Amino acid sequence: MTGKPRKQIHLAAHFPGVNNTTVWADPASASQVEFESFVHLAQTAERGLFDFFFLAEGLRLREHRGRIHDLDVVGRPDTFTVLNALAGVTDKLGLAGTINSTYNEPFELAKQFASLDHLSGGRAAWNVVTSSDAFTGENFRRGGYLEHSQRYQRAAEVVEVTRKLWDSWAADTLVIDRAAGVFAREVPETRHRGAQFDIAGRFVLPPSPQGHPVLLQAGDSDDGREFGASAADAIFTGHGTLEAGQRFYADVKGRLAKYGRTPDELKILPAATFVLGDSAQDAEERAHHIRRQQVGPQTAIAFLEQVWGRELSGYDPDGPLPDVEPTDNVDITRGRVRHAKDPRAVAADWRAKAEAENLSIRELIIEVTARQQFVGTPAAVAEQIDTYVQADASDGFILVPHLTPGGLDEFVDRVVPELQERGSFRTEYTGTTLREHLGLRHPHRHSTVHEGARAS
């Protein structure tokens, strides 16, 4: 019998911050900032033969109704400090950091990620994100504000210039001929003139082991999908059903050909949570308990207020939805992506769902904020994950444990062996770099000279 070859699953471990995914109040939860927490999760992921460890970004403490949102803090240590430290306590695991292209300069980014790639032996990855959030931008010079329509234009140019800097040293630039007294050949100048940047200089580091660190991209808009298809090695996304995942997968992979790329050159990696049990019923009961921990009464009301744009603390979270209409106030929660572009339409949908399913405010928020979740016995969860990958709904998953730092332990101990038994997951690392783990080719070199139109 012949058919499509079995795809190999790619897995990554997401270090969660203090937000509504984590259950930071659980006695089993430890520090979100102490290095040992990062070490535990990273070494567990490496023990499980994961492709990479993933760090999100927190550039400003979120606020809700004018005060720090103490249920959704997102503050965390500096990404490069953490990842470079983890490079010293891991051997094969990729190290991915989220760094914003809106608030950072190409030269700084090129140097920081090339340094990480050198120090880790070729395991660096950059999750490129954008921001049009003026509230977050207040932490940066000039306010950091960028019109929404321009954020992917800037991101594309940041990536373009960064790659030129990485490519500016030829493979034979570094000579180190002690007898002749020659350390390096001439490093050519990198020149770029575009809408966002006007750069002329020489990069300071030789090519890193991967040539370019792996580029990830997170974004589900049409602009985000196009940017991912043109520039990314992997896309970090989120879809709640197999069918939604298949539509996204086909759409983004279908855009690759116009950029001269093949489907294997881009990995689709949705975020997902998991809950294991000794039986299906046990797992469902645990999942229900965890979701109620994640969405407590205060959190449920806070989520509702984001859509309604008004203070709703007088409403019972275990009661019905408000009968008042949403306002146009978009600033009740600041520092978080707004959930509703059309609050009144969302409110109408939520009311219909709550009425049809007899849901309270808290029960509704639990339903509508759930991300992809695998629930069941270890064998059942392995089957669910494998089904998604083999059905081209993803190439793997970025797993988000609900506990820090031990939330991944059970998955590695109980689910990874099941995936290996199915022949869908590696039994050992066969390469040393993250590109090798992901099955990505060495990148081609970019020209170091570009003269384009400058912004007027």
Side-chain angles (χ1 to χ4, degrees):
M1 180 177 177
T2 61
K4 188 172 70 170
R6 176 168 288 277
K7 291 167 62 179
Q8 291 298 293
I9 295 169
H10 297 286
L11 293 176
H14 187 303
F15 186 92
V18 178
N19 53 45
N20 69 293
T21 298
T22 56
V23 184
W24 56 266
D26 191 296
S29 182
S31 173
Q32 306 283 336
V33 296
E34 291 180 3
F35 185 53
E36 285 308 310
S37 291
F38 294 95
V39 171
H40 183 105
L41 185 64
Q43 291 183 340
T44 300
E46 186 164 73
R47 178 167 62 84
L49 304 175
F50 278 40
D51 292 74
F52 60 92
F53 172 93
F54 181 93
L55 273 184
E57 181 181 56
L59 295 179
R60 182 159 183 176
L61 297 181
R62 291 170 180 159
E63 294 181 10
H64 185 70
R65 287 200 273 128
R67 60 184 293 272
I68 296 300
H69 192 344
D70 56 355
L71 301 175
D72 199 0
V73 177
V74 308
R76 65 194 76 216
D78 175 71
T79 296
F80 288 109
T81 303
V82 172
L83 295 182
N84 279 299
L86 289 177
V89 295
T90 55
D91 296 315
K92 299 290 182 65
L93 184 70
L95 302 167
T98 302
I99 299 294
N100 200 299
S101 62
T102 305
Y103 307 128
N104 292 282
E105 299 293 313
F107 179 85
E108 296 170 327
L109 292 168
K111 184 180 180 183
Q112 288 165 324
F113 277 106
S115 297
L116 176 60
D117 207 47
H118 277 292
L119 295 176
S120 66
R123 297 185 281 139
W126 171 19
N127 181 37
V128 184
V129 296
T130 67
S131 177
S132 60
D133 177 9
F135 171 73
T136 300
E138 289 173 357
N139 272 347
F140 298 86
R141 62 184 183 276
R142 301 188 307 277
Y145 182 73
L146 193 68
E147 291 290 343
H148 189 277
S149 61
Q150 296 178 7
R151 60 180 185 156
Y152 280 111
Q153 296 173 18
R154 178 181 169 93
E157 195 169 337
V158 167
V159 169
E160 179 188 358
V161 178
T162 302
R163 283 175 163 165
K164 287 178 184 176
L165 292 166
W166 287 331
D167 287 339
S168 61
W169 286 55
D172 60 353
T173 298
L174 204 60
V175 178
I176 315 181
D177 186 336
R178 292 176 175 83
V182 178
F183 182 79
R185 294 186 173 90
E186 181 72 11
V187 178
E189 185 178 70
T190 299
R191 288 187 285 118
H192 175 92
R193 176 175 289 187
Q196 298 285 337
F197 304 103
D198 188 352
I199 292 171
R202 289 177 171 83
F203 194 48
V204 295
L205 287 174
S208 68
Q210 294 188 106
H212 300 168
V214 170
L215 289 190
L216 291 88
Q217 183 265 339
D220 193 33
S221 67
D222 190 69
D223 285 342
R225 295 182 187 204
E226 201 66 31
F227 175 61
S230 68
D233 298 306
I235 292 183
F236 175 31
T237 183
H239 298 284
T241 66
L242 178 72
E243 294 74 20
Q246 288 174 319
R247 288 193 296 271
F248 181 89
Y249 191 97
D251 176 67
V252 175
K253 298 246 181 178
R255 301 176 188 230
L256 294 171
K258 63 183 170 184
Y259 298 107
R261 307 181 68 193
T262 65
D264 288 342
E265 293 179 49
L266 178 67
K267 307 302 179 187
I268 307 298
L269 303 173
T273 61
F274 60 91
V275 180
L276 304 178
D278 293 330
S279 66
Q281 181 179 350
D282 178 37
E284 289 291 346
E285 289 174 354
R286 289 185 67 188
H288 178 74
H289 175 68
I290 290 168
R291 285 299 288 146
R292 289 187 68 82
Q293 287 181 297
Q294 291 169 327
V295 184
Q298 292 172 276
T299 300
I301 294 297
F303 265 101
L304 201 69
E305 289 175 336
Q306 288 181 45
V307 173
W308 258 254
R310 63 167 78 223
E311 194 265 330
L312 299 170
S313 61
Y315 285 84
D316 180 1
D318 294 317
L321 268 65
D323 53 7
V324 296
E325 291 302 310
T327 73
D328 294 323
N329 178 14
V330 299
D331 292 327
I332 194 165
T333 296
R334 303 203 296 170
R336 168 182 277 279
V337 176
R338 185 165 171 79
H339 288 269
K341 292 183 178 179
D342 184 352
R344 290 171 180 81
V346 172
D349 289 343
W350 284 11
R351 283 180 176 135
K353 181 177 179 66
E355 182 176 351
E357 300 177 29
N358 193 29
L359 300 176
S360 67
I361 291 173
R362 187 180 181 190
E363 290 168 336
L364 175 76
I365 298 301
I366 286 173
E367 289 283 328
V368 299
T369 61
R371 66 173 76 205
Q372 174 64 56
Q373 187 175 47
F374 298 113
V375 179
T377 65
V381 167
E383 182 178 5
Q384 293 167 38
I385 291 173
D386 198 25
T387 296
Y388 267 74
V389 173
Q390 305 310 327
D392 288 342
S394 77
D395 292 307
F397 290 93
I398 297 178
L399 298 179
V400 188
H402 74 280
L403 291 177
T404 302
L408 191 65
D409 296 25
E410 191 176 21
F411 186 95
V412 167
D413 293 336
R414 303 183 69 188
V415 179
V416 166
E418 296 282 351
L419 293 172
Q420 292 168 331
E421 183 69 23
R422 299 174 72 89
S424 300
F425 192 66
R426 63 172 65 92
T427 56
E428 62 180 356
Y429 287 113
T430 56
T432 59
T433 71
L434 179 53
R435 285 190 174 275
E436 290 172 323
H437 300 343
L438 292 170
L440 299 171
R441 63 173 177 78
H442 201 78
H444 69 272
R445 291 174 56 79
H446 292 69
S447 170
T448 59
V449 177
H450 169 77
E451 297 286 343
R454 298 186 65 181
S456 58

